[in-house]
């Protein structure tokens, strides 16, 4: 008997997958290459193959708005990443203590995730509005000098967006972490108690390392949410006050569709792609390439 | 102080499910006690109470003479081994053994002394640098035992430590646990639902049913003089034959057969008359060459034969009851044959059909 050709195994499944593969290649790879190529052109309202070299990039990096966008994304991204994991994990450990009404709590905390960013943005725009949000409620209670209006103070406006982002994202992280915690054998906990390991150490040195796959999944979801941050900004602040809460994705969109400056948009999105690639590729090589000695 | 562990009037309820009720159990120093019972009877629950992993509802637990009812598991002087091994997967074997000690801020040289001693006893020295994922089930369970060993405690608790292993490995590790007990001479409390493990390992077996201890005695006593019908039925494979009849004038009357009960030791306060159940183990029904020592004989028809190599089981009907009889492995019988069987009343057990207690 000859070994059947590997190419023809599951042939029907492979044929069925072809349209999707073609679409994927065409849209992702094709679109990416196209964008990068046109970022070196003078495209305005319409794409035109008129080469200008690195001009678009020079303009990009001397634009104040782009620099602010990068800074905002860094602040939002790092704070979001740290806080959403801490909050999500703490909520998950609290719920994991076999509390009563666990399902109710889980639903309540996960609920914001079911809302679109647009709704979240509007809700938090109201809550943080000094006229009728938290500030006015606290003032009505008697603290007349209380001031809390992050969305109207350029220096801290991005943190107002961060609060909304955390409110929306913590539930998802919590549910994922809870699933991870539930996957840990109860005997591990018992063994650690017999060994006299305090609960926080058990989490830190035993349980969290065991939850590594869950953490990676969550990390991918959270980071992709951060990079494409756009609709929350549009709904909550519109990038304001001034340009205080601008972010890269919004810069790209505005350049391409509002300012009729496709070349700038392409250059900005290429920069975003390069940044993501710089982070993802070394990590992926470490994660999947180093398996042999793992 | 003679006892390593004393359990006094222990109650444990999960909500309103009463898993353990008024349980009393004293375990001698250096004893190997096996808790045996069917699934869900509360063996693990009892063990977790002793370990301090469950808060008792009522009652007291003493370990080494100290009242530890409300002490933390790590302060009770116990080590525990779980069915699922429960090793810390991200740490090496050495890390697993030493993590608890390092956490207790024990000096380094003392830690390494204890780890190498445990590794030596369990023969896991070559594995110290490996992670649990790179070990076989038997090796993992050794490491888990090692983790209890380095704690240098007087009482070891095992919760079905061999249930996840294949039959061969289980037999090997069983022997090793027995050797370990002889070597260390500390107290071991061992939960299992495997009769063979219980019979081979135990100094005493506690048979549990629905949170109560049915009988606490040596394996020999439990096998030969079960205190009630449940224990008699639970221990032994294939299980004991139960024949319903009547006791009259020192004889057991069974559908026309009279079995004199001369030589049977009645329990002190039992009535020696009226309805009764005669319990006979398959190997205590005599056949072939052994028939000579039987006082009463009868003939039955073979219905089914199960050759098992070392011996042969035959199934038949006696006085309307299905019975199994263990014969010599070399016996040549086939269904339909007539076989002569004999009884030894002094090795039988008699039970009261009402209370199910031994007579
Ligand atoms: N957390 C719990 N909440 C409610 N009931 C429980 C809980 N844990 C155990 N039980 C009940 O307590 C009883 C005894 O359980 P336990 O685990 O002690 O049984 P076991 O004898 O160890 O059985 P097995 O041989 O299957 O391990 C069971 O009926 C079980 O349903
Ligand atoms: Mg159990």
């Amino acid at each position: 008997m000859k070994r059947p050709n590997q190419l023809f195994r599951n042939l029907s499944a492979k044929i069925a997958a072809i349209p999707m593969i073609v679409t994927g290649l065409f849209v992702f790879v094709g679109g990416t290459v196209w964008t990068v190529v046109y970022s070196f052109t003078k495209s305005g309202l319409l794409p035109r193959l008129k080469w200008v070299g690195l001009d678009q990039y020079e303009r990009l990096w001397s634009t104040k708005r782009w620099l602010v966008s990068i800074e905002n994304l860094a602040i939002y991204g790092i704070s979001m990443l740290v806080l959403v994991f801490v909050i999500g994990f703490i909520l998950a450990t609290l719920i994991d203590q076999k509390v009563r009404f666990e399902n109710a709590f889980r639903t309540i905390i996960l609920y914001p995730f079911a809302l679109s960013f647009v709704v979240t943005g509007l809700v938090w725009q109201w809550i943080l509005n000094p006229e009728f949000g938290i500030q006015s409620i606290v003032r009505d209670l008697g603290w007349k000098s209380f001031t809390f209006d992050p969305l109207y103070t350029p220096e801290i406006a991005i943190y107002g967006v961060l609060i909304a982002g955390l409110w929306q994202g913590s539930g998802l992280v919590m549910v994922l972490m809870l699933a991870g915690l539930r996957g840990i054998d109860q005997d591990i906990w018992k063994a650690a108690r017999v060994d006299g390991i305090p609960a926080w150490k058990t989490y830190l040195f035993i349980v969290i390392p065991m939850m590594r796959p869950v953490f990676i999944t969550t990390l991918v979801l959270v980071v992709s949410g951060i990079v494409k941050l756009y609709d929350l900004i549009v709904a909550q602040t519109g990038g304001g006050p001034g340009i205080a809460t601008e972010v890269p994705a919004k810069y790209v969109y505005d350049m391409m569709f509002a300012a009729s400056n496709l070349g700038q948009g392409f250059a900005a999105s290429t920069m975003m792609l390069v940044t993501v690639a710089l982070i993802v590729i070394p990590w992926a090589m470490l994660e999947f390439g180093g398996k042999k000695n793992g | 102080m003679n006892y390593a562990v004393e359990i006094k009037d222990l109650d444990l309820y999960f909500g309103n499910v009463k898993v353990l009720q008024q349980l009393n159990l004293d375990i001698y120093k250096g004893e190997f006690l096996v808790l045996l019972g069917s699934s869900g009877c509360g063996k693990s629950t009892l063990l977790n109470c002793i370990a301090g992993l469950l808060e008792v509802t009522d009652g007291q637990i003493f370990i080494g003479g100290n009242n530890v009812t409300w002490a933390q598991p790590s302060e009770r002087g116990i080590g525990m081994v779980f069915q699922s091994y429960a090793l810390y997967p991200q740490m090496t074997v050495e890390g697993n053994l030493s993590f608890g000690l390092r956490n207790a801020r024990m000096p380094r040289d003392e830690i390494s002394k204890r780890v190498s001693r445990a590794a030596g006893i369990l023969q896991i020295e070559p594995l110290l640098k490996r992670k649990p994922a790179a070990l076989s089930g038997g090796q993992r369970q050794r490491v888990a035992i090692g983790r209890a060993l380095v704690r240098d405690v007087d009482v070891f608790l095992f919760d079905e430590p061999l249930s996840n292993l294949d039959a061969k490995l289980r037999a090997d590790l069983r022997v090793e646990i027995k050797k370990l007990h002889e070597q260390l001479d500390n107290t071991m409390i061992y939960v299992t639902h495997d009769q063979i493990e219980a019979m081979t390992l135990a100094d005493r077996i506690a048979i549990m049913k629905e949170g109560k201890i049915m009988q606490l005695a040596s394996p020999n006593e439990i096998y030969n003089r079960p205190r009630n019908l449940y224990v008699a039925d639970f221990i032994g494979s294939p299980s004991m034959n139960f024949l319903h009849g009547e006791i009259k004038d020192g004889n057991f009357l069974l559908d026309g057969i009279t079995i004199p009960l001369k030589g049977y030791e009645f329990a002190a306060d039992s009535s020696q008359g009226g309805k009764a159940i005669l319990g006979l183990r398959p190997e205590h029904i005599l056949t072939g060459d052994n028939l000579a020592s039987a006082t009463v004989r009868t003939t039955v028809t073979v219905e089914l034969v199960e050759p098992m190599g070392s011996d042969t089981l035959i199934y038949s009907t006696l006085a309307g009851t299905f019975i199994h009889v263990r014969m010599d492995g070399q016996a040549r019988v086939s269904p339909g044959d007539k076989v002569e069987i004999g009884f030894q009343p002094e090795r039988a057990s008699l039970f009261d059909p009402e209370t199910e207690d031994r007579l």
Side-chain angles (χ1 to χ4, degrees):
Chain A
M1 266 290 279
K2 241 183 68 191
R3 189 149 171 251
N5 191 335
Q6 288 295 312
L7 194 63
F8 295 114
R9 278 186 59 210
N10 300 330
L11 191 62
S12 50
K14 282 175 181 162
I15 291 174
I18 285 177
M20 199 52 225
I21 294 173
V22 171
T23 319
L25 278 179
F26 189 73
V27 172
F28 290 113
V29 179
T32 306
V33 170
W34 196 87
T35 305
V36 173
V37 168
Y38 273 84
S39 74
F40 297 106
T41 69
K42 207 182 157 188
S43 305
L45 179 60
L46 291 170
R48 279 191 307 154
L49 270 176
K50 193 149 192 253
W51 303 106
V52 292
L54 289 171
D55 276 9
Q56 296 287 11
Y57 291 91
E58 272 169 31
R59 256 183 69 199
L60 181 68
W61 285 103
S62 52
T63 306
K64 177 96 190 297
R65 185 175 156 192
W66 173 252
L67 297 177
V68 170
S69 299
I70 297 279
E71 190 191 339
N72 279 339
L73 187 66
I75 294 172
Y76 177 88
I78 292 170
S79 319
M80 179 76 180
L81 204 58
V82 172
L83 292 176
V84 89
F85 266 90
V86 170
I87 295 173
F89 190 78
I90 289 177
L91 286 175
T93 54
L94 290 181
I95 287 200
D96 195 37
Q97 309 302 314
K98 308 228 160 56
V99 290
R100 267 197 224 194
F101 313 118
E102 177 191 319
N103 285 337
F105 279 124
R106 212 173 38 196
T107 312
I108 291 171
I109 298 173
L110 187 58
Y111 211 85
F113 187 69
L115 301 179
S116 72
F117 267 124
V118 174
V119 176
T120 307
L122 287 176
V123 166
W124 279 91
Q125 192 190 0
W126 294 333
I127 295 178
L128 298 178
N129 187 311
E131 302 296 316
F132 40 81
I134 295 178
Q135 176 174 315
S136 84
I137 292 172
V138 176
R139 284 191 182 178
D140 288 350
L141 289 175
W143 288 276
K144 291 293 177 219
S145 61
F146 178 81
T147 310
F148 186 64
D149 55 350
L151 295 186
Y152 293 83
T153 317
E155 292 77 45
I156 56 165
I158 192 68
Y159 295 101
V161 180
L162 178 66
I163 294 175
L166 283 175
W167 179 77
Q168 216 246 6
S170 297
L172 177 74
V173 176
M174 177 201 74
V175 173
L176 289 169
M177 294 289 146
L178 189 59
L181 286 174
R182 290 286 154 83
I184 305 273
D185 183 359
Q186 282 304 308
D187 284 352
I188 292 268
W189 278 104
K190 292 184 181 173
R193 285 187 63 195
V194 171
D195 265 350
I197 321 275
W200 67 269
K201 265 194 180 175
T202 311
Y203 275 118
L204 208 59
F205 294 112
I206 299 166
V207 172
I208 291 179
M210 286 176 80
M211 283 169 58
R212 190 185 150 91
V214 178
F215 270 92
I216 289 176
T217 310
T218 315
L219 188 72
V220 170
L221 288 176
V222 170
V223 169
S224 67
I226 290 171
V227 172
K228 64 187 189 201
L229 175 66
Y230 170 76
D231 24 13
L232 184 61
I233 299 279
V234 169
Q236 202 182 354
T237 66
I243 54 165
T245 54
E246 290 291 344
V247 286
K250 185 160 177 293
Y251 185 89
V252 171
Y253 185 89
D254 287 352
M255 282 300 153
M256 280 167 46
F257 302 108
S260 304
N261 195 344
L262 284 180
Q264 265 298 290
F266 292 151
S269 53
T270 304
M271 284 321 301
M272 288 176 71
L273 178 73
V274 169
T275 316
V276 171
L278 280 181
I279 298 170
V280 169
I281 291 175
W283 170 75
M285 272 162 60
L286 219 73
E287 185 70 19
F288 303 109
K291 270 278 153 7
K292 276 153 268 159
N293 47 25
Chain B
M1 205 62 217
N2 212 359
Y3 294 121
V5 179
E6 295 157 86
I7 296 162
K8 297 195 196 303
D9 300 327
L10 186 71
D11 285 333
L12 189 119
Y13 306 160
F14 286 116
N16 46 20
V17 186
K18 303 182 174 183
V19 178
L20 302 176
Q21 284 185 69
Q22 290 296 303
L23 190 135
N24 284 286
L25 180 61
D26 292 332
I27 301 160
Y28 294 106
K29 276 213 168 97
E31 182 173 38
F32 199 120
L33 183 99
V34 171
L35 298 172
L36 181 65
S38 55
S39 194
C41 70
K43 308 180 292 288
S44 300
T45 306
L46 175 57
L47 205 67
N48 285 335
C49 286
I50 298 174
L53 296 167
L54 280 175
E55 257 182 35
V56 305
T57 310
D58 199 7
Q60 288 175 314
I61 298 171
F62 293 80
I63 295 179
N66 304 315
N67 187 339
V68 295
T69 314
W70 301 108
Q72 285 298 316
S74 55
E75 297 160 357
R76 294 188 174 206
I78 51 131
M80 192 158 177
V81 178
F82 301 88
Q83 177 178 352
S84 63
Y85 321 130
L87 298 177
Y88 311 135
Q90 311 294 333
M91 300 182 193
T92 61
V93 169
E94 193 171 14
N96 268 279
L97 296 184
S98 61
F99 190 52
L101 305 181
R102 274 185 283 143
N103 183 66
R105 304 195 180 286
M106 187 178 280
R108 272 179 187 284
D109 46 342
E110 173 69 14
I111 294 180
S112 62
K113 211 167 74 191
R114 287 196 187 185
V115 168
S116 55
R117 171 171 169 267
I121 292 176
L122 296 163
Q123 293 166 353
I124 51 174
E125 287 122 326
L127 312 177
L128 282 178
K129 296 289 174 219
R130 289 205 214 161
K131 292 218 173 138
L135 301 178
S136 71
Q139 291 169 331
R140 283 182 210 183
Q141 199 52 286
R142 268 172 227 248
V143 176
I145 295 173
R147 192 169 55 184
L149 213 58
V150 291
R151 291 176 53 72
D152 211 8
V153 289
D154 296 328
V155 180
F156 272 41
L157 308 174
F158 294 90
D159 194 352
E160 305 196 27
L162 307 183
S163 300
N164 284 2
L165 304 175
D166 66 51
K168 170 85 171 68
L169 208 55
R170 201 180 307 174
D172 291 348
L173 219 52
R174 194 174 73 211
V175 175
E176 283 192 37
I177 290 179
K178 183 147 190 156
K179 277 190 200 152
L180 189 69
H181 178 239
E182 276 163 16
Q183 191 177 348
L184 300 175
D185 211 28
N186 51 11
T187 311
M188 293 190 173
I189 307 177
Y190 187 105
V191 166
T192 182
H193 52 231
D194 184 314
Q195 293 185 30
I196 313 275
E197 271 173 36
M199 298 295 282
T200 51
L201 288 171
D203 293 326
R204 283 194 302 166
I205 299 177
I207 303 231
M208 292 181 64
K209 179 196 178 192
E210 289 164 15
K212 295 192 200 70
I213 292 179
M214 299 311 266
Q215 185 166 9
L216 172 63
S218 68
N220 189 28
E221 171 91 5
I222 287 206
Y223 190 78
N224 291 309
R225 296 177 53 83
R227 200 160 72 193
N228 55 39
L229 212 54
Y230 179 82
V231 175
D233 194 30
F234 189 80
I235 285 282
S237 171
S239 60
M240 196 181 252
N241 299 301
F242 295 110
L243 301 163
H244 290 254
E246 206 175 341
I247 301 177
K248 209 168 180 184
D249 308 327
N251 293 317
F252 186 79
L253 307 181
L254 176 73
D255 203 15
I257 310 168
T258 303
I259 304 172
L261 295 174
K262 191 158 56 68
Y264 181 83
E265 289 176 41
F266 278 95
D269 53 352
S270 58
S271 67
Q272 297 181 15
K275 287 208 179 332
I277 298 171
L278 179 71
L280 285 168
R281 295 214 176 271
E283 58 273 32
H284 293 163
I285 298 178
L286 304 175
T287 55
D289 298 341
N290 302 326
L291 270 174
S293 62
T295 43
V296 187
R297 298 180 196 185
T298 185
T299 305
V300 292
T301 310
V302 177
E303 290 167 18
L304 204 69
V305 180
E306 279 186 349
M308 317 233 282
S310 59
D311 44 34
T312 299
L313 279 181
I314 61 172
Y315 292 76
S316 178
T317 309
L318 176 65
T321 310
F322 199 56
I323 61 165
H324 19 243
V325 179
R326 202 189 291 271
M327 292 182 76
D328 182 29
Q330 304 309 317
R332 293 278 167 269
V333 282
S334 42
D337 289 358
K338 297 247 183 259
V339 171
E340 195 174 27
I341 58 172
F343 309 102
Q344 293 172 293
E346 64 277 11
R347 302 192 69 173
S349 297
L350 282 166
F351 300 100
D352 183 329
E354 293 284 317
T355 62
E356 304 199 337
D357 285 339
R358 187 185 182 85
L359 289 173

